[in-house]
Every structure is written in C-alpha cells, then in structure tokens.
Amino acid sequence: MTETPWWTPSRHADRRPLLLARNRIQAAIRGWLAERGFTEVDPAALAISPGNEAHLHAFGTDAIGNDGTARRMYLHTSPEFAMKKLLAAGETRIAAFAHVWRNRERGPLHSPEFTMLEWYRVAEDYAVLIEDTMAFLRLAAEAAGTPLLRFRDRTCDPFAEPDRISVAESFARHAGIDLLATIGADGTPDRDALAVQVTGAGITVRDGDTWSDLLSRVLVERVEPHLGLGRVTVLDRYPAAEAALARPAPDDARVAERFEVYACGVELANGFGELTNPAEQRRRFQAEMAEKQRLYGESYPIDEDFLAALAHMPPASGIALGFDRLVMLATAAPRIDAVIWAPVP
C-alpha cells in the first residue's frame, strides 16, 4: 500500500502541530543561546572533507570551476571542521543549526538530511556541555507542552537529574565486562582480550571482528537498551580509541573526554573536550580512513586547512545534538520524517 505523500493537505494537517512545536523549540533554544552570549554561525555545507570517521558516509559531488575543471567535494556530515576554524579565527562561543547529510542512513531515527545543533565553548570544561544539553531538553519539553519525552513505549523525565555513567561502568553493569582491562596504558585496545570477555557474556564474536566492532556490539545489544529510561543518561569517558576528535582524559590515557546523551533509549548528543594537537589529529584521521578503506573500499581526503587551523585553536569543548530527534521526543512523533517540514523523498 502506497503511503500518502507528506504534502497531501490532510496529512499535512496532522503533521502541522508537530512542525509548529519544532519552530517553538528552535526559537526557545535560540533565545537561550543568545542570552548567554553565543554567536549563531552558518557554515557552508560543501567541504573538501565531509569528516574522517570510518563509519560515516557522505554525499559527494563535483564542483565545476569557471574553466570547466572538476573538483571533488562533499556535503558535510557535520559543521565541525568549519566551526573549529572559526574558533581558530577568534570566536569564543558559537552555535549553528546546520543542515547535514549522511549517506546509508534511513529509518525511524535517521534521515539522509537532518538538522544538527552544534555549539562550542572556548576555555570551558566539557562538563558544562552536559548542563547545556539538559537545559535544551527541558526547553523542548516546555515548548511542546509536555512533562515527559517519549519514543514509542519509552518515557524520560528531562527535569530529573541525569544519570552520569562511564562507558566502562556501563559495560560492567549491563554486560559483566571489564572494559578497561582490554585497553593498554597508552590507550591501545586489545581485541583478543575483549573477545574473551564478550564470548563469556554470551555475545557472538565473529572472525573478522575488530575491538571496535565488539565494543559496538556490546553497546547496541546490552547497554543502549537501558539508557535514558525514566531519566536522561550521560554515557561518559569513552575509550580513547573511540574518540577520534576528543582529547585524552587527564587522569587516564585509556579514556577520553567524550560523552553521549541518551533519552528514551535514543542517542541525542555527542560531546567532546576537543583535541587541538594537529599531529595527533592527523594520526587519528589516517587510522580512521585506513579502517574505512578496509571496510568499505573508499576513504575521504583529510582537510589540510583544518589541521593548519587546529594549531591556532584554543582549548575548547564542543557538542552536536540531533535537533530533529529532540523534536521527535518532545512531540512523541513516531519517526523523524514527521518533524521535518519537507522530508527527503
């Protein structure tokens, strides 16, 4: 049976209350940011590199010059590189509601084009970003006129204090796995050590699985189903090997200043204490692109301009929040397309 197009008047009438709530939520967050001295910026979407994470897939295009010469470019998967260049240029508090594009992603929680709210604070600890995120979740609930965030049969109270737990603690709690025992003192992961524990936890281990594959499987199968139920979960201190853009934690090189925010079992935000070492960032990008080439037979160029700017970037913290997902939870919408004004066909 063919689904009624979103532009059909009757279907639009059903969707319109959700879309108006989206506008109210966006206005509330914009006001909050302005009151605290954030400058809203609008980075270009076309980029030399769309991002250098192994499992992110971009939309590519050819930019034709006046002389007819083609140059390969990409729609960005995040405004991160451009916004960090602005920090290098001297901005100190910036935010963007940016349209971003990710290929190979479509479903109830994924749209190939979506809106990312990304913001940065210079010379401020990454823990402040958790407070910011909680403020936005509460603003969204208030603007939508609801006391709870909802997704399907799950609810979450954004006004309750969040549960902040490290990735290692979550593995011990929900899977009985000692994650840090599988990571060397310098942050190097030990695949075989994790495989033994994953097998012992009754989770499938395949011959070609890397340490990252196993970590992801445990997260998806055992950890994520428990996150953000009843109250928000902040999953903190990711392993350094899973935080390509974050600086190491000052007290333990095995983990990094990276966290994710979950509500109703849905990942909403991903934050960092930002890495500002160009040489280390290049090494991580190269490792990520080698893994992408191994898995998918392709890789993306490294933005040399970004690495040059990174040398001038001050210490900062930054975070990206899936704005459409936040609207979904605040309006109890069943899927992401329901809260996008004109969804991707």
Side-chain angles (χ1 to χ4, degrees):
M1 181 177 178
T2 303
E3 187 178 36
T4 305
W6 62 263
W7 46 262
T8 303
S10 60
R11 187 168 176 209
H12 180 66
D14 291 337
R15 293 192 335 120
R16 194 167 188 270
L18 310 183
L19 300 170
L20 294 180
R22 174 193 178 101
N23 285 7
R24 293 196 302 273
I25 294 168
Q26 188 170 34
I29 292 175
R30 277 196 161 115
W32 188 98
L33 289 165
E35 288 171 3
R36 286 155 183 80
F38 282 84
T39 299
E40 186 169 342
V41 299
D42 187 16
L46 277 177
I48 297 298
S49 173
N52 295 110
E53 295 181 50
H55 300 290
L56 285 185
H57 304 281
F59 289 88
T61 187
D62 290 323
I64 310 299
N66 293 341
D67 62 354
T69 302
R71 182 188 191 190
R72 192 63 173 169
M73 298 190 79
Y74 301 87
L75 291 172
H76 63 191
T77 58
S78 161
E80 181 170 5
F81 292 177
M83 293 183 77
K84 287 183 176 178
K85 290 174 186 177
L86 287 170
L87 297 183
E91 296 294 335
T92 58
R93 282 190 180 186
I94 55 175
F97 282 93
H99 278 244
V100 298
W101 291 261
R102 295 187 179 183
N103 218 339
R104 304 194 188 198
E105 295 191 10
R106 193 85 197 234
L109 291 169
H110 295 88
S111 171
E113 179 180 354
F114 61 98
T115 300
M116 180 178 285
L117 170 58
E118 191 156 322
W119 70 101
Y120 291 84
R121 290 175 174 267
V122 165
E124 295 189 67
D125 187 84
Y126 83 117
V128 179
L129 301 177
I130 297 173
E131 298 174 14
D132 293 346
T133 305
M134 290 304 302
F136 295 159
L137 268 57
R138 290 162 184 156
L139 284 172
E142 289 168 354
T146 179
L148 296 174
L149 303 178
R150 297 179 184 274
F151 181 64
R152 296 177 177 166
D153 61 346
R154 308 170 198 153
T155 61
C156 177
D157 181 357
F159 301 96
E161 282 300 306
D163 177 26
R164 186 170 175 179
I165 182 173
S166 71
V167 174
E169 289 168 340
S170 74
F171 271 52
R173 180 185 299 178
H174 300 299
I177 290 174
D178 183 352
L179 182 62
L180 294 182
T182 74
I183 306 173
D186 63 350
T188 302
D190 183 335
R191 183 267 182 195
D192 292 340
L194 182 56
V196 169
Q197 292 202 57
V198 169
T199 300
I203 300 171
T204 301
V205 174
R206 304 184 182 96
D207 289 343
D209 283 339
T210 64
W211 183 90
S212 291
D213 293 332
L214 297 175
L215 178 99
S216 178
R217 192 167 302 138
V218 176
L219 271 173
V220 171
E221 293 186 15
R222 297 294 177 84
V223 176
E224 286 187 340
H226 301 281
L227 303 182
L229 305 182
R231 60 176 172 152
V232 173
T233 301
V234 178
L235 193 60
D236 196 8
R237 290 168 69 90
Y238 265 72
E242 294 295 305
L245 291 148
R247 57 181 173 242
D251 62 325
D252 190 344
R254 295 175 296 177
V255 296
E257 291 187 350
R258 177 191 172 191
F259 68 90
E260 290 190 327
V261 176
Y262 287 80
C264 305
V266 176
E267 178 203 337
L268 284 179
N270 187 16
F272 304 98
E274 301 294 348
L275 180 66
T276 56
N277 181 323
E280 175 62 14
Q281 188 66 86
R282 180 186 298 277
R283 185 193 69 77
R284 295 187 190 184
F285 280 168
Q286 289 172 339
E288 286 285 319
M289 290 301 92
E291 179 67 358
K292 187 174 188 66
Q293 185 67 44
R294 183 185 74 83
L295 291 172
Y296 305 108
E298 65 173 342
S299 63
Y300 301 135
I302 291 173
D303 184 345
E304 296 293 339
D305 196 39
F306 168 67
L307 292 178
L310 205 60
H312 301 278
M313 181 179 147
S317 298
I319 184 168
L321 181 148
F323 179 68
D324 313 273
R325 287 188 179 184
L326 176 57
V327 176
M328 273 185 66
L329 301 191
T331 60
R335 54 185 298 118
I336 198 168
D337 285 357
V339 297
I340 295 175
W341 274 94
V344 175

